[in-house]
mmCIF file of all heavy atoms in Angstrom:
data_model
loop_
_atom_site.group_PDB
_atom_site.id
_atom_site.type_symbol
_atom_site.label_atom_id
_atom_site.label_comp_id
_atom_site.label_asym_id
_atom_site.label_seq_id
_atom_site.Cartn_x
_atom_site.Cartn_y
_atom_site.Cartn_z
ATOM 1 N N LEU C 30 102.787 121.513 77.298
ATOM 2 C CA LEU C 30 103.808 122.394 77.721
ATOM 3 C C LEU C 30 104.201 123.367 76.631
ATOM 4 O O LEU C 30 105.050 124.282 76.898
ATOM 5 C CB LEU C 30 105.013 121.624 78.157
ATOM 6 C CG LEU C 30 104.831 120.476 79.253
ATOM 7 C CD1 LEU C 30 106.044 119.635 79.579
ATOM 8 C CD2 LEU C 30 104.218 121.086 80.556
ATOM 9 N N TRP C 44 111.057 126.439 82.320
ATOM 10 C CA TRP C 44 110.646 126.398 83.652
ATOM 11 C C TRP C 44 110.645 127.795 84.307
ATOM 12 O O TRP C 44 109.861 128.111 85.157
ATOM 13 C CB TRP C 44 111.465 125.376 84.462
ATOM 14 C CG TRP C 44 112.870 125.776 84.719
ATOM 15 C CD1 TRP C 44 114.006 125.529 84.004
ATOM 16 C CD2 TRP C 44 113.336 126.478 85.981
ATOM 17 N NE1 TRP C 44 115.073 126.095 84.667
ATOM 18 C CE2 TRP C 44 114.692 126.645 85.869
ATOM 19 C CE3 TRP C 44 112.716 127.099 86.964
ATOM 20 C CZ2 TRP C 44 115.526 127.348 86.744
ATOM 21 C CZ3 TRP C 44 113.468 127.817 88.006
ATOM 22 C CH2 TRP C 44 114.877 127.939 87.852
ATOM 23 N N SER C 85 102.872 125.093 89.250
ATOM 24 C CA SER C 85 104.003 124.588 90.113
ATOM 25 C C SER C 85 104.378 123.202 89.572
ATOM 26 O O SER C 85 105.597 122.849 89.363
ATOM 27 C CB SER C 85 103.619 124.436 91.488
ATOM 28 O OG SER C 85 103.517 125.746 92.188
ATOM 29 N N LEU C 86 103.399 122.344 89.314
ATOM 30 C CA LEU C 86 103.648 121.054 88.768
ATOM 31 C C LEU C 86 104.281 121.067 87.395
ATOM 32 O O LEU C 86 105.171 120.256 87.101
ATOM 33 C CB LEU C 86 102.362 120.179 88.802
ATOM 34 C CG LEU C 86 101.738 119.985 90.209
ATOM 35 C CD1 LEU C 86 100.408 119.142 90.090
ATOM 36 C CD2 LEU C 86 102.643 119.256 91.099
ATOM 37 N N ILE C 87 103.841 121.994 86.531
ATOM 38 C CA ILE C 87 104.342 122.120 85.248
ATOM 39 C C ILE C 87 105.818 122.513 85.320
ATOM 40 O O ILE C 87 106.679 122.066 84.597
ATOM 41 C CB ILE C 87 103.449 122.994 84.373
ATOM 42 C CG1 ILE C 87 102.118 122.386 84.074
ATOM 43 C CG2 ILE C 87 104.172 123.545 83.145
ATOM 44 C CD1 ILE C 87 101.067 123.374 83.498
ATOM 45 N N GLY C 88 106.041 123.536 86.220
ATOM 46 C CA GLY C 88 107.452 123.977 86.431
ATOM 47 C C GLY C 88 108.356 122.889 86.838
ATOM 48 O O GLY C 88 109.415 122.682 86.323
ATOM 49 N N ILE C 89 107.878 121.845 87.618
ATOM 50 C CA ILE C 89 108.737 120.724 88.019
ATOM 51 C C ILE C 89 108.996 119.839 86.764
ATOM 52 O O ILE C 89 110.167 119.445 86.609
ATOM 53 C CB ILE C 89 107.966 119.835 89.188
ATOM 54 C CG1 ILE C 89 108.093 120.675 90.465
ATOM 55 C CG2 ILE C 89 108.687 118.456 89.306
ATOM 56 C CD1 ILE C 89 107.095 120.045 91.495
ATOM 57 N N ILE C 90 107.980 119.634 85.923
ATOM 58 C CA ILE C 90 108.164 118.840 84.774
ATOM 59 C C ILE C 90 109.130 119.556 83.843
ATOM 60 O O ILE C 90 110.039 118.834 83.292
ATOM 61 C CB ILE C 90 106.726 118.618 84.082
ATOM 62 C CG1 ILE C 90 105.861 117.725 84.905
ATOM 63 C CG2 ILE C 90 106.989 117.898 82.605
ATOM 64 C CD1 ILE C 90 104.497 117.681 84.514
ATOM 65 N N LEU C 91 109.057 120.729 83.555
ATOM 66 C CA LEU C 91 109.906 121.531 82.701
ATOM 67 C C LEU C 91 111.313 121.443 83.236
ATOM 68 O O LEU C 91 112.277 121.363 82.531
ATOM 69 C CB LEU C 91 109.464 122.911 82.538
ATOM 70 C CG LEU C 91 108.080 123.141 81.770
ATOM 71 C CD1 LEU C 91 107.552 124.414 81.869
ATOM 72 C CD2 LEU C 91 108.372 122.703 80.302
ATOM 73 N N LEU C 92 111.502 121.645 84.518
ATOM 74 C CA LEU C 92 112.831 121.474 85.216
ATOM 75 C C LEU C 92 113.436 120.149 84.962
ATOM 76 O O LEU C 92 114.642 120.032 84.714
ATOM 77 C CB LEU C 92 112.686 121.890 86.653
ATOM 78 C CG LEU C 92 114.063 122.024 87.448
ATOM 79 C CD1 LEU C 92 114.900 123.183 86.975
ATOM 80 C CD2 LEU C 92 113.770 122.369 88.953
ATOM 81 N N GLU C 93 112.579 119.128 85.182
ATOM 82 C CA GLU C 93 113.068 117.806 84.897
ATOM 83 C C GLU C 93 113.477 117.626 83.474
ATOM 84 O O GLU C 93 114.557 116.929 83.266
ATOM 85 C CB GLU C 93 112.110 116.739 85.410
ATOM 86 C CG GLU C 93 111.852 116.602 86.914
ATOM 87 C CD GLU C 93 110.731 115.759 87.205
ATOM 88 O OE1 GLU C 93 109.868 115.206 86.393
ATOM 89 O OE2 GLU C 93 110.449 115.527 88.462
ATOM 90 N N GLU C 94 112.823 118.182 82.506
ATOM 91 C CA GLU C 94 113.061 117.977 81.166
ATOM 92 C C GLU C 94 114.446 118.702 80.804
ATOM 93 O O GLU C 94 115.199 118.222 80.160
ATOM 94 C CB GLU C 94 111.896 118.646 80.255
ATOM 95 C CG GLU C 94 110.754 117.675 80.058
ATOM 96 C CD GLU C 94 109.818 118.319 79.071
ATOM 97 O OE1 GLU C 94 110.051 119.361 78.439
ATOM 98 O OE2 GLU C 94 108.704 117.672 78.808
ATOM 99 N N GLU C 95 114.576 119.865 81.302
ATOM 100 C CA GLU C 95 115.862 120.530 81.255
ATOM 101 C C GLU C 95 117.043 119.815 81.760
ATOM 102 O O GLU C 95 118.142 119.813 81.264
ATOM 103 C CB GLU C 95 115.884 121.943 81.859
ATOM 104 C CG GLU C 95 116.987 122.768 81.610
ATOM 105 C CD GLU C 95 116.943 124.136 82.225
ATOM 106 O OE1 GLU C 95 116.266 124.919 81.731
ATOM 107 O OE2 GLU C 95 117.691 124.442 83.115
ATOM 108 N N ASN C 96 116.885 118.993 82.751
ATOM 109 C CA ASN C 96 117.867 118.287 83.525
ATOM 110 C C ASN C 96 117.821 116.833 83.136
ATOM 111 O O ASN C 96 118.182 115.894 83.881
ATOM 112 C CB ASN C 96 117.707 118.518 85.065
ATOM 113 C CG ASN C 96 118.117 119.770 85.461
ATOM 114 O OD1 ASN C 96 119.361 120.210 85.467
ATOM 115 N ND2 ASN C 96 117.246 120.695 85.701
ATOM 116 N N LYS C 97 117.237 116.617 81.914
ATOM 117 C CA LYS C 97 117.299 115.218 81.354
ATOM 118 C C LYS C 97 116.704 114.271 82.194
ATOM 119 O O LYS C 97 117.192 113.107 82.377
ATOM 120 C CB LYS C 97 118.560 114.832 80.846
ATOM 121 C CG LYS C 97 119.148 115.737 79.822
ATOM 122 C CD LYS C 97 120.596 115.625 79.490
ATOM 123 C CE LYS C 97 121.112 116.535 78.436
ATOM 124 N NZ LYS C 97 120.829 117.852 78.541
ATOM 125 N N GLY C 98 115.446 114.518 82.703
ATOM 126 C CA GLY C 98 114.730 113.575 83.558
ATOM 127 C C GLY C 98 115.175 113.292 84.903
ATOM 128 O O GLY C 98 114.600 112.572 85.700
ATOM 129 N N GLU C 99 116.209 114.059 85.355
ATOM 130 C CA GLU C 99 116.794 113.931 86.689
ATOM 131 C C GLU C 99 115.610 114.359 87.757
ATOM 132 O O GLU C 99 115.070 115.447 87.502
ATOM 133 C CB GLU C 99 117.976 114.876 86.899
ATOM 134 C CG GLU C 99 118.534 114.839 88.223
ATOM 135 C CD GLU C 99 119.057 113.507 88.646
ATOM 136 O OE1 GLU C 99 119.875 112.907 87.903
ATOM 137 O OE2 GLU C 99 118.704 112.985 89.728
ATOM 138 N N LYS C 100 115.392 113.501 88.673
ATOM 139 C CA LYS C 100 114.403 113.814 89.691
ATOM 140 C C LYS C 100 114.881 114.054 90.993
ATOM 141 O O LYS C 100 114.168 114.115 91.999
ATOM 142 C CB LYS C 100 113.342 112.705 89.668
ATOM 143 C CG LYS C 100 112.570 112.595 88.316
ATOM 144 C CD LYS C 100 111.556 111.509 88.451
ATOM 145 C CE LYS C 100 110.880 111.445 87.009
ATOM 146 N NZ LYS C 100 109.976 110.348 86.843
ATOM 147 N N ASP C 101 116.135 114.172 91.069
ATOM 148 C CA ASP C 101 116.836 114.368 92.438
ATOM 149 C C ASP C 101 116.941 115.906 92.601
ATOM 150 O O ASP C 101 117.845 116.511 92.177
ATOM 151 C CB ASP C 101 118.379 113.814 92.444
ATOM 152 C CG ASP C 101 118.910 114.021 93.688
ATOM 153 O OD1 ASP C 101 118.394 114.551 94.744
ATOM 154 O OD2 ASP C 101 120.169 113.537 93.958
ATOM 155 N N TYR C 102 115.916 116.483 93.244
ATOM 156 C CA TYR C 102 115.872 117.820 93.315
ATOM 157 C C TYR C 102 116.880 118.599 94.114
ATOM 158 O O TYR C 102 116.982 119.803 94.058
ATOM 159 C CB TYR C 102 114.403 118.183 93.982
ATOM 160 C CG TYR C 102 113.373 117.614 93.188
ATOM 161 C CD1 TYR C 102 112.531 116.511 93.574
ATOM 162 C CD2 TYR C 102 112.952 118.134 91.911
ATOM 163 C CE1 TYR C 102 111.612 115.995 92.923
ATOM 164 C CE2 TYR C 102 112.039 117.478 91.126
ATOM 165 C CZ TYR C 102 111.300 116.486 91.579
ATOM 166 O OH TYR C 102 110.389 115.912 90.844
ATOM 167 N N PHE C 105 119.255 120.614 91.880
ATOM 168 C CA PHE C 105 118.715 121.770 91.151
ATOM 169 C C PHE C 105 119.015 123.105 91.955
ATOM 170 O O PHE C 105 118.125 123.977 91.996
ATOM 171 C CB PHE C 105 117.130 121.659 90.922
ATOM 172 C CG PHE C 105 116.785 120.534 90.060
ATOM 173 C CD1 PHE C 105 115.503 119.915 90.286
ATOM 174 C CD2 PHE C 105 117.549 120.004 89.082
ATOM 175 C CE1 PHE C 105 115.162 118.718 89.463
ATOM 176 C CE2 PHE C 105 117.198 118.866 88.272
ATOM 177 C CZ PHE C 105 115.978 118.325 88.597
#
Side-chain angles (χ1 to χ4, degrees):
L30 305 176
W44 73 268
S85 293
L86 297 177
I87 289 170
I89 290 169
I90 293 166
L91 292 167
L92 187 60
E93 289 173 354
E94 281 188 2
E95 183 178 292
N96 289 281
K97 298 174 183 37
E99 179 64 53
K100 294 180 182 175
D101 183 357
Y102 301 108
F105 300 151

